[in-house]
Amino acid sequence: MSLDFAPHPLRRQVLDELHARPFQLVETPRRVLLHAFATAEMPVAQERAALAAWCTATGAARPDDGANFHRAVFPTARLRWERHSEFSTYGWDVPAPGSDPFHWPLPQPSPVGGAVAAPGSLLVAIDLALVRASALPADWQGLFDPASLCVSGAMDGAATIATDFRQDSRGYTRILVIDHALTPAVAGALVQRLLEVETYRCFALLGLPEAQRMGPIIGRIERELVAVAGRMKTATGLESNAALLDTLVAQAAELEAEAALSSFRFGATRAYEALVRSRLAVIGEAPVEGHSTWAAFLDRRFAPAMRTCQTASDRQAELSLKLTRAANLLRTRVDIALEQQNRTLLETMSERGRLQLRLQQTVEGLSIAAVSYYVLGLLGYLFKGGKDSGVLPFEPTVATAAVLPFVVLVMALVVRRIRTRED
């Protein structure tokens, strides 16, 4: 039955992901040289274009458009390119020459002559030798530093793996894989996982310098927070609390800026550590008498560095929460002080309103008296004129006194009406 349905736009990408970086079949004896470059500053398209140009110049197949993985096969060597989120690996595997597992020199600058352009700064360089047990010299352990030599059985006894996690005179970390009964498929998977253990281990340790850089900064902000918390106990008034709040905001801003710089590094460190652990678990190490296993060595040397990174990340998060709580407390105190200040201001304004009302009422009373006085003056002149002309038979003073209450009452009614209309 055919699938006559509209496919999801990401269906092909999802299905192909499981086969994106397959293991290579490796025949013993084999020599693998791997370099891992930090590529944060180079876009993947630019790196892919440079690799494609090199493949064209050397006669190898070009990588597909949009590919993050490519294999170039030559008569005497193979190149395996992988692009990851922040690094790229270039792995060469060639036939192992002679009885010396780490025989040198090899063809330079690459096993096929022409050099591949480095996409960034080099962090990891691994020299892995896959040899048969029968071809191995008896004194092979002398190839490593005995103080840090790790030897383990792997793949249910089909191989023995050894390394000292140190760099030789050429700057490579040596890994020896002794083939007891490996098939090409199992050998390819084992080699790939061992290369990933060392690669992810190195990139995981990039978080340690960041944790060491962050340690003094976190410690200083913690001490400043303690000092601010002590001043909060005795701080009173809006200005002092506002000044403390400004200090806390500045500390929180500095911490968040540093956290933004280090959050990716700490997150990547945790992811790489998990990958190292998972690869070692898949290898299935078995202890070899007299030697430390890879996992035991890493637990003693690698794990403390990872705990340092985790501690720095945890301190960062806890300090951010403490700063937030302290800032919220101070902000509450500042808000309360502002409310008290506003209440006092409103009470003052209310008192001023009452005073203005009383003043207005006083002015209104005086205005009634003043207007009444002028009106009574006019009426006095009127009454005097009437008396002199014989029209009014009574004294002007008596007439003025008689109309005084009525004039005051009328003026009061007029002023009240004007005020009522304005209101």
Side-chain angles (χ1 to χ4, degrees), residues 57-384:
T58 56
R62 294 166 56 92
D64 297 333
D65 293 337
N68 292 325
F69 170 83
H70 182 64
R71 285 189 295 189
V73 181
F74 300 90
T76 59
R78 294 182 298 185
L79 172 65
R80 179 188 177 99
W81 169 70
E82 294 186 40
R83 173 71 183 227
H84 299 264
S85 59
E86 64 170 336
F87 68 92
S88 291
T89 59
Y90 292 77
W92 287 99
D93 68 291
V94 297
S99 59
D100 182 1
F102 300 103
H103 170 77
W104 207 270
L106 294 177
Q108 292 288 343
S110 73
V112 296
V116 182
S121 56
L122 177 69
L123 181 63
V124 182
I126 305 173
D127 185 355
L128 184 147
L130 174 63
V131 299
R132 296 197 182 278
S134 58
L136 194 65
D139 60 345
W140 64 268
Q141 295 188 15
L143 299 170
F144 300 96
D145 180 2
S148 57
L149 176 60
C150 301
V151 183
S152 303
M155 312 306 286
D156 296 326
T160 299
I161 56 176
T163 187
D164 57 3
F165 294 103
R166 295 188 181 275
Q167 287 70 54
D168 61 14
S169 59
R170 293 177 297 275
Y172 286 86
T173 301
R174 291 181 172 182
I175 298 177
L176 179 64
V177 181
I178 305 173
D179 182 359
H180 300 297
L182 291 173
T183 64
V186 175
L190 177 60
V191 167
Q192 182 64 26
R193 285 161 180 159
L194 292 176
L195 295 175
E196 290 175 349
V197 166
E198 175 62 10
T199 301
Y200 292 138
R201 179 188 72 87
C202 292
F203 276 92
L205 286 171
L206 287 178
L208 182 59
E210 183 66 18
Q212 293 170 340
R213 184 190 71 85
M214 284 296 301
I217 297 175
I218 295 175
R220 174 178 55 79
I221 296 178
E222 286 175 338
R223 292 190 297 272
E224 292 175 354
L225 176 59
V226 171
V228 171
R231 292 164 57 189
M232 287 171 58
K233 296 178 182 178
T234 57
T236 58
L238 178 61
E239 292 184 0
S240 58
N241 286 324
L244 291 177
L245 181 59
D246 291 341
T247 302
L248 283 179
V249 170
Q251 293 172 354
E254 180 183 2
L255 182 65
E256 291 302 320
E258 295 295 340
L261 292 174
S262 60
S263 59
F264 171 78
R265 186 74 273 149
F266 289 153
T269 292
R270 289 191 294 269
Y272 291 138
E273 181 191 10
L275 288 172
V276 170
R277 303 294 183 188
S278 67
R279 296 301 186 269
L280 289 174
V282 172
I283 290 171
E285 285 189 280
V288 173
E289 185 177 356
H291 297 284
S292 173
T293 63
W294 289 36
F297 181 85
L298 292 178
D299 281 338
R300 188 170 66 255
R301 306 289 180 87
F302 175 68
M306 297 299 98
R307 285 194 292 270
T308 299
C309 296
Q310 184 61 47
T311 299
S313 180
D314 293 343
R315 286 180 64 194
Q316 206 173 57
E318 291 175 1
L319 181 57
S320 179
L321 291 176
K322 291 177 182 178
L323 286 171
T324 301
R325 289 197 297 266
N328 289 337
L329 177 60
L330 268 178
R331 192 172 290 110
T332 301
R333 295 173 65 176
V334 169
D335 290 342
I336 292 174
L338 283 174
E339 290 177 359
Q340 292 175 346
Q341 190 179 65
N342 292 336
R343 185 171 61 251
T344 302
L345 180 61
L346 290 174
E347 291 175 352
T348 303
M349 293 176 63
S350 178
E351 182 63 24
R352 287 179 180 176
R354 287 193 294 270
L355 291 175
Q356 289 177 354
L357 178 60
R358 288 197 292 270
L359 179 60
Q360 181 181 356
Q361 292 173 347
T362 302
V363 170
E364 290 176 355
L366 293 175
S367 63
I368 293 173
V371 173
S372 299
Y373 173 79
Y374 287 112
V375 171
L376 287 173
L378 294 175
L379 290 175
Y381 286 114
L382 179 63
F383 293 152
K384 287 179 181 180

